[in-house]
Amino acid sequence: PPENPPPAQNDTSAKLVDDADHPWQAPGPDDMRGPCPGLNTLASHGYLPRNGIATPAQIINATMFGFNMDEGTAKFVTYAAFLVDGNPITNLMSIGGKSSLTGEDPPEPAIIGGLNTHAVFEGDASMTRADDFFGDNHSFNQTLWDQFVDFSNRFGAGKYNYTVAAELRFQRIQESIATNPEFSFVSPRYFTAYAESTFPVNFFVDGRQTDGQLDLDNALSFFRDMRYPSGFFRAPKPMGADGLDQIAAAHPVAPGANNGTINSYTLDPTSADFSTFCLLYVNFVNQTVKGLYPNPTGVLREALERNLGFFHDFLGDPDCPQVFPWGQI
Ligand code: HEM
Ligand code: MG
């Protein structure tokens, strides 16, 4: 059953996280890794179980401790992902593909597919991973990495920063519009795409450095090798999606999707956008989660209700009341 979310950290200073207690080890053949370079790195250093199967509390603690992710962001993102990709009964989630180690699945249409599952949390126009339409939405993609480098050279004098992030975010959207007939860019992916563009600046820059300029060797260490650069210090203060506004404002794009052919991007007014953050929450619960669990009963329903409660707790918007997809008990 779901455990309570862990407390925030007392010490939020920069500190050595590539330490002797957390040596990097390459993942073994059965160890799960997926689309998130942050969680992959935490697993390969043992801040998460090295097999890539973790509870929400383990993920929250690891992201807070290992990267100084702020409590609200860590908990909101973790419960969002867990509700759609994790097993509510066993309280386990794969940070990569589907795994028998998360236990017996609840009934379909629940997927319990881990973070690789397309369209419930993972989505299109990622920076270093291809769109699901092209066959692999989770592995490091060398061609996309080459573009990351090219953009960092052109717009960041050889570093990745918020300016580069804004240009690369827009480029990836344009590429998907032009090449992926199934391109989808609606909530929640709409939000996570912009948030994740900030993360390399906020979390992959060494915490002894305050200029927001990410060295590309260090970036590659995270994105490809799932490894802290040697002697890495985490961020000097708790961080979330700082910089998101700047990136989104540089090239505004409204939520939408291609309609089955390339170059057919059509706006979707039912999707949440930056002016309707509460709708992100409401649609996620009433459509995405309820779609996977149309009529849960017993311990399954209790576990889902608790996790939905945690998810709402960390939304951080007092004007956004909790919704109850199966009615209030
Ligand atoms: C991408 C999950 C925390 C960095 C992703 C994706 C998922 C995910 C599912 C794939 C989305 C996509 O690109 O389609 C999570 C969860 C977290 C978490 C559940 C729990 C708090 C972090 C942290 C960092 C991070 C702490 C940085 C230290 C990134 C980056 C990407 C990403 C940079 C984009 C990869 C790319 O576009 O190539 N994350 N993540 N994440 N995550 Fe995480
Ligand atoms: Mg993706």
Side-chain angles (χ1 to χ4, degrees), residues 60-283:
I60 292 161
N61 279 329
T63 53
M64 291 195 302
F65 192 86
F67 283 109
N68 223 348
M69 186 174 253
D70 71 72
E71 179 190 15
T73 304
K75 291 180 177 178
F76 187 67
V77 175
T78 298
Y79 286 109
F82 186 74
L83 278 161
V84 295
D85 289 333
N87 186 327
I89 304 285
T90 60
N91 211 34
L92 293 169
M93 180 171 75
S94 162
I95 67 167
K98 191 169 181 67
S99 167
S100 59
L101 294 180
T102 58
E104 193 188 331
D105 286 348
E108 290 181 342
I111 305 170
I112 326 294
L115 292 182
N116 288 1
T117 310
H118 179 57
V120 289
F121 192 99
E122 187 283 326
D124 291 332
S126 303
M127 293 179 288
T128 67
R129 271 67 175 163
D131 286 3
D132 190 59
F133 175 79
F134 300 110
D136 181 347
N137 68 350
H138 52 274
S139 305
F140 175 81
N141 181 301
Q142 183 66 44
T143 308
L144 290 174
W145 172 253
D146 292 343
Q147 178 168 254
F148 188 107
V149 171
D150 178 48
F151 270 60
S152 300
N153 286 331
R154 280 162 56 197
F155 298 102
K159 309 282 183 180
Y160 181 89
N161 57 30
Y162 291 149
T163 305
V164 176
E167 298 306 321
L168 185 60
R169 168 71 9 251
F170 188 60
Q171 165 74 6
R172 292 293 296 129
I173 294 166
Q174 299 308 311
E175 276 182 337
S176 289
I177 290 174
T179 59
N180 175 0
E182 293 171 9
F183 176 50
S184 175
F185 199 58
V186 296
S187 181
R189 179 57 186 157
Y190 185 74
F191 292 88
T192 61
Y194 287 98
E196 288 157 12
S197 289
T198 75
F199 286 178
V201 180
N202 299 342
F203 299 114
F204 294 164
V205 174
D206 189 282
R208 291 163 295 185
Q209 199 183 317
T210 53
D211 60 1
Q213 308 293 320
L214 174 60
D215 178 271
L216 295 182
D217 291 332
N218 287 5
L220 186 60
S221 177
F222 288 107
F223 278 107
R224 185 189 65 191
D225 303 337
M226 320 183 217
R227 181 172 191 164
Y228 287 126
S230 180
F232 185 78
F233 276 53
R234 70 177 192 184
K237 62 178 197 297
M239 303 284 282
D242 309 61
L244 184 149
D245 293 350
Q246 179 187 333
I247 294 171
H251 297 285
V253 177
N258 276 348
N259 63 19
T261 55
I262 57 170
N263 293 314
S264 62
Y265 194 71
T266 308
L267 300 188
D268 180 351
T270 68
S271 170
D273 66 16
F274 296 120
S275 67
T276 55
F277 188 62
C278 186
L279 189 62
L280 157 73
Y281 161 74
V282 173
N283 284 350

Side-chain angles (χ1 to χ4, degrees), residues 9-95:
Q9 321 176 79
N10 293 320
D11 176 2
T12 56
S13 60
K15 64 170 81 187
L16 178 73
V17 285
D18 179 38
D19 64 12
D21 289 342
H22 299 91
W24 183 80
Q25 285 170 21
D30 297 329
D31 293 339
M32 291 295 176
R33 298 293 183 269
C36 177
L39 299 182
N40 289 346
T41 298
L42 292 168
S44 294
H45 282 271
Y47 284 103
L48 285 173
R50 292 182 186 270
N51 67 4
I53 309 294
T55 69
Q58 286 174 328
I59 294 172
I60 292 161
N61 279 329
T63 53
M64 291 195 302
F65 192 86
F67 283 109
N68 223 348
M69 186 174 253
D70 71 72
E71 179 190 15
T73 304
K75 291 180 177 178
F76 187 67
V77 175
T78 298
Y79 286 109
F82 186 74
L83 278 161
V84 295
D85 289 333
N87 186 327
I89 304 285
T90 60
N91 211 34
L92 293 169
M93 180 171 75
S94 162
I95 67 167

